[in-house]
Amino acid sequence: MSTRGHAMAAGAVLAVAAALGALQAWALAWPWPVGAGPWLRSGEPAAWLALLAHAAAVVGVARARSAGAAAARALVWTATWLATTFGWLYISMHVYGGMPGWLAAVAVAALALFLALDYAVMAWVWWRWRPAAPWAAALAWAAAWTLAELARGVLWTGFHWGALGYTQVDALGWAAPWVGVYGLGLVTAALAAWLALARGAWRWAAAALCVLLWGWPGLGAWVQQRLPDATAAAGTLPVRLLQGAIAQDDKFDPERGIAVALRWYGQQLVQAASDERLAGGLVVAPETAIPLLPQDVPADYWRTLLGHVRQGHVAVLIGLPLGSFERGYTNSVVGWRPGQALPVDDAELPAALSAYRYDKHHLVPFGEFIPPGFRWFVDLMRMPLGDFARGALPQPPLTWAGQRIAPHVCYEDVFGEELAAAFADAASAPTVLVNVSNIAWFGDTVAIDQHRQIARVRALELGRPMLRATNTGSTAAIDHRGRVLAELPRAQRGVLDVVVQGRSGLTPYARWASRWGLAPVLLASLLLWGLAGLFGGRRRAP
């Protein structure tokens, strides 16, 4: 073949790798039309799509002529996967941040390429030292893939959004309480690689196993119902979730945003406080529902609100920024319960407002803190955000109505090991999880669906219901088995009333992740790769 022919063939291979990356991203939040049949509307086709796209990509990496070519194919595949997954970052930087469109696109692509380097290095190492036996090569691939996922989830503050394991919530979600999202990804990568690398009868065996696990509609739910539940019911909690649906470009406008937020959320909180149907319940408003520091809101507003809560029947959680220029700022959730003492004068107001307080721990780079050397990048955007202080880990839950309610803010629920830190002691572990978010920064995009998928996995891992109060979606209640109980239409103002069941007891994942974090995942991956190399034989270099 001529040099030009080789170049065209190499380009075609990379184009296929890019297409496979886009398919793997599409599987994260399955966007099938509502009019389709129930199986197509479920998440099970997404699990199939991710498995087959991953298997095809493994074939391409394995057949590369050199370690460098394998790394290049993995880089294109995973960079496309990541860029397609979080392409909505462009909206926050360009539409709301004011960054030039070309530069925002370059920034998204650069981030995807940077994060894809973990997978490119993984592919280079795997190609050079993979075992000869196909089964061992598949295990080594799964271990290497998981190590790359760990690197992306931990290094440079971590950004594990869109990991392979999230595509499997409806097929393999029953295993999440034991192995977590990294374990789901490892199993998926191992079976995909076995399907790609096995030969003869072993390939048919791999295909049969994949059909069994992924091809039987409802198998995941069937298995989940028959496995022992490590958690137990801990009472019910009536809940009202608020969704203000205030557009991000209006959020900080005095009339179209701030005044609307103060009026609407104030009315909803006052009404909920005296609603007998919510007696002993909880009302939750989203991240920065009040987009002002408390001292910038009239004191009479807070006194009125606190007065109704004091005489009412419900506890309240609401997101708002706290702090001052001198003390620093936090992205926080404050909470109040009935019976709380009212402030006598303005000097007592700050303490009354933070009777319960949660400060966001895992901050967003560039949005909530500025990495060293990147001030110039943030200066290109017109975001009313800056450097925030980091909250402790873990922080105590809000205790109310026999429940221990643990809030967290926005993409903190990507880091399951951090949420698990509150589960070290079963007696004080949360019984209900609450996420407050504002995904309006990313428009009406698939980011909303992806975040709901992530929340479902967290509920499964920790065996707790997950309540989500957001500005534009997904405002939803998810039970401890990862099932969406109820959800508001996205980008519409409304309230969601639902009753959730608190849970006590610890899942296996909660036990090991609360004590050792991600160390077991790291050690298991290294051990798996070592065993594959020890018993899989050495491969001859081509």
Side-chain angles (χ1 to χ4, degrees):
M1 184 182 294
S2 65
T3 302
R4 182 179 180 184
H6 280 298
M8 292 179 63
V13 169
L14 294 180
V16 171
L20 293 173
L23 287 175
Q24 187 164 300
W26 196 42
L28 177 60
W30 183 248
W32 204 264
V34 174
W39 185 74
L40 286 176
R41 291 203 309 271
S42 75
E44 293 177 4
W48 261 116
L49 183 63
L51 173 76
L52 296 178
H54 199 91
V58 174
V59 171
V61 173
R63 292 182 178 178
R65 292 178 175 271
S66 67
R73 294 177 183 185
L75 182 67
V76 171
W77 163 42
T78 56
T80 306
W81 162 50
L82 295 172
T84 307
T85 298
F86 52 68
W88 35 260
L89 287 173
Y90 173 89
I91 297 173
S92 64
M93 290 186 283
H94 173 58
V95 177
Y96 300 124
M99 181 181 288
W102 68 269
L103 185 56
V106 168
V108 173
L111 176 61
L113 279 169
F114 177 73
L115 295 175
L117 288 174
D118 295 325
Y119 302 92
V121 171
M122 171 273 297
W124 188 92
V125 174
W126 177 81
W127 192 95
R128 285 290 303 272
W129 288 290
R130 74 178 187 265
W135 66 267
L139 291 181
W141 171 270
W145 176 267
T146 305
L147 291 172
E149 294 267 65
L150 277 172
R152 181 163 72 94
V154 174
L155 299 179
W156 318 110
T157 80
F159 191 47
H160 197 233
W161 191 284
L164 179 63
Y166 290 116
T167 66
Q168 303 302 314
V169 63
D170 291 296
L172 302 179
W174 51 269
W178 279 265
V179 300
V181 71
Y182 286 100
L184 297 184
L186 187 150
V187 171
T188 305
L191 290 174
W194 189 22
L195 188 63
L197 301 173
R199 296 184 294 268
W202 285 109
R203 176 168 290 178
W204 287 106
L209 180 58
C210 290
V211 168
L212 175 65
L213 291 176
W214 280 274
W216 181 0
L219 176 64
W222 184 87
V223 173
Q224 189 180 56
Q225 291 172 1
R226 283 155 180 79
L227 286 174
D229 196 334
T231 68
T236 58
L237 181 70
V239 176
R240 177 167 293 173
L241 306 174
L242 308 182
Q243 181 173 288
I246 297 172
Q248 193 59 41
D249 48 2
D250 291 337
K251 189 173 180 66
F252 298 99
D253 181 273
E255 297 300 324
R256 299 193 307 272
I258 296 174
V260 171
L262 289 172
R263 181 173 60 254
W264 190 79
Y265 283 115
Q267 289 173 350
Q268 296 304 318
L269 293 170
V270 166
Q271 291 172 10
S274 57
D275 193 332
E276 295 287 348
R277 295 171 299 175
L278 287 175
L282 175 73
V283 58
V284 187
E287 177 186 15
T288 58
I290 305 298
L292 294 173
L293 294 166
Q295 57 268 33
D296 295 330
V297 178
D300 287 345
Y301 180 91
W302 295 121
R303 286 198 178 88
T304 300
L305 183 55
L306 288 173
H308 281 87
V309 174
R310 178 178 184 271
Q311 299 173 3
H313 312 288
V314 301
V316 170
L317 287 173
I318 182 169
L320 76 166
L322 296 177
S324 66
F325 180 79
E326 295 77 18
R327 299 191 308 272
Y329 302 98
T330 57
N331 189 356
S332 301
V333 179
V334 298
W336 312 305
R337 292 173 293 194
Q340 178 179 325
L342 290 175
V344 176
D345 54 41
D346 290 355
E348 296 180 355
L349 194 57
L353 289 177
S354 56
Y356 172 80
R357 171 176 175 174
Y358 171 84
D359 297 329
K360 187 177 183 182
H361 168 76
H362 205 118
L363 303 178
V364 179
F366 305 108
E368 294 171 328
F369 79 96
I370 303 171
F374 281 91
R375 170 63 67 178
W376 63 273
F377 184 82
V378 175
D379 288 343
L380 291 172
M381 298 185 285
R382 299 190 301 271
M383 289 186 180
L385 297 170
D387 277 327
F388 282 77
R390 194 182 304 273
L393 186 72
Q395 298 178 50
L398 171 71
T399 57
W400 167 246
Q403 304 292 336
R404 296 182 293 275
I405 304 163
H408 53 280
V409 180
C410 200
Y411 96 136
E412 284 191 301
D413 62 359
V414 175
F415 305 94
E417 68 279 5
E418 295 184 359
L419 299 191
F423 287 75
D425 179 12
S428 61
T431 57
V432 177
L433 301 174
V434 176
N435 178 272
V436 298
S437 294
N438 177 28
I439 304 297
W441 281 111
F442 312 114
D444 187 6
T445 65
V446 73
I448 293 174
D449 307 286
Q450 292 172 351
H451 205 184
R452 178 181 57 245
Q453 193 83 334
I454 290 167
R456 292 179 63 198
V457 174
R458 293 292 88 80
L460 281 163
E461 287 175 339
L462 298 169
R464 296 296 188 268
M466 175 75 79
L467 304 173
R468 306 194 72 248
T470 70
N471 181 21
T472 56
S474 161
T475 296
I478 301 168
D479 72 6
H480 73 292
R481 292 187 180 271
R483 297 172 296 197
V484 178
L485 301 175
E487 182 177 12
L488 286 176
R490 57 204 287 165
Q492 295 182 26
R493 186 167 300 159
V495 301
L496 179 64
D497 286 346
V498 66
V499 176
V500 298
Q501 185 183 78
R503 307 293 295 186
S504 61
L506 300 181
T507 64
Y509 172 86
R511 291 184 184 279
W512 61 257
S514 63
R515 289 166 172 77
W516 304 301
L518 295 177
V521 180
L522 175 63
L523 293 175
S525 300
L526 293 174
L527 180 61
L528 189 63
W529 198 340
L531 291 175
L534 182 62
F535 296 104
R538 294 186 62 181
R539 182 179 67 99
R540 292 181 180 180

